[in-house]
Amino acid sequence: MLLLTRSPTAWHRLSQLKPRVLPGTLGGQALHLRSWLLSRQGPAETGGQGQPQGPGLRTRLLITGLFGAGLGGAWLALRAEKERLQQQKRTEALRQAAVGQGDFHLLDHRGRARCKADFRGQWVLMYFGFTHCPDICPDELEKLVQVVRQLEAEPGLPPVQPVFITVD
């Protein structure tokens, strides 16, 4: 009986055996092993010539392809929605930070008071650093000078004013 539970081919071989009358049955109502086995088999196992019935290979491949395309499309739509929400959050964070909004009052290297109105009509490149910085600040200021030269060489751009603000 253990063989019957493990192997589907054993069911098929056993169903071809000659039916026997089980002992202890009444009159002509004998249970046949074959009819019991056939009633236990599923629809795929009872098809003609032992071949399982169902959709063909092309149909299965088509269904699998359509299912995969649907999943891929859903994934792309979710990814685009996630990127849109992230961009919306970034924009909102920049609005809250209000970079460049408001006025400022600082002293220049000659001791004169400077404010935002002094730079109207110009592009301002602000750099925050230290006056006593031997490692990084000179290199960064050199990069700032190169950017200003490139922008000044472009015709039609407003004048560029670099502003170095020291924090020490």
Side-chain angles (χ1 to χ4, degrees):
M1 203 49 131
L2 184 62
L3 178 65
L4 297 177
T5 59
R6 293 194 176 194
S7 172
T9 56
W11 285 101
H12 181 67
R13 280 191 241 135
L14 194 58
S15 67
Q16 294 176 355
L17 292 175
K18 185 175 179 182
R20 297 183 188 175
V21 175
L22 294 176
T25 58
L26 299 174
Q29 297 182 353
L31 294 176
H32 297 285
L33 185 59
R34 179 182 166 105
S35 63
W36 180 77
L37 287 175
L38 288 177
S39 68
R40 300 279 303 200
Q41 292 178 344
E45 296 171 353
T46 58
Q49 308 268 335
Q51 295 292 328
Q53 295 181 4
L57 178 62
R58 287 184 185 171
T59 305
R60 286 188 233 153
L61 288 175
L62 179 65
I63 290 171
T64 303
L66 289 174
F67 185 71
L71 285 177
W75 178 77
L76 288 174
L78 288 174
R79 191 175 93 183
E81 180 67 17
K82 180 180 177 182
E83 288 176 1
R84 186 188 66 79
L85 288 174
Q86 285 178 342
Q87 183 63 33
Q88 186 178 9
K89 286 180 183 178
R90 284 187 204 120
T91 304
E92 186 60 31
L94 287 175
R95 283 187 186 138
Q96 289 177 355
V99 175
Q101 303 297 316
D103 201 9
F104 61 86
H105 300 281
L106 299 170
L107 297 177
D108 68 4
H109 61 287
R110 294 188 179 125
R112 288 184 293 170
R114 303 293 294 238
C115 64
K116 186 176 180 179
D118 295 334
F119 301 106
R120 250 178 247 265
Q122 304 178 43
W123 283 359
V124 177
L125 294 177
M126 285 192 175
Y127 178 74
F128 295 87
F130 298 95
T131 54
H132 302 290
C133 174
D135 298 331
I136 299 171
C137 295
D139 294 335
E140 295 302 316
L141 289 175
E142 183 61 35
K143 290 177 189 176
L144 185 67
V145 168
Q146 290 174 2
V147 169
V148 169
R149 285 184 184 154
Q150 287 177 356
L151 290 174
E152 286 177 344
E154 291 288 323
L157 293 180
V160 178
Q161 177 64 50
V163 176
F164 176 73
I165 299 175
T166 182
V167 293
D168 60 354

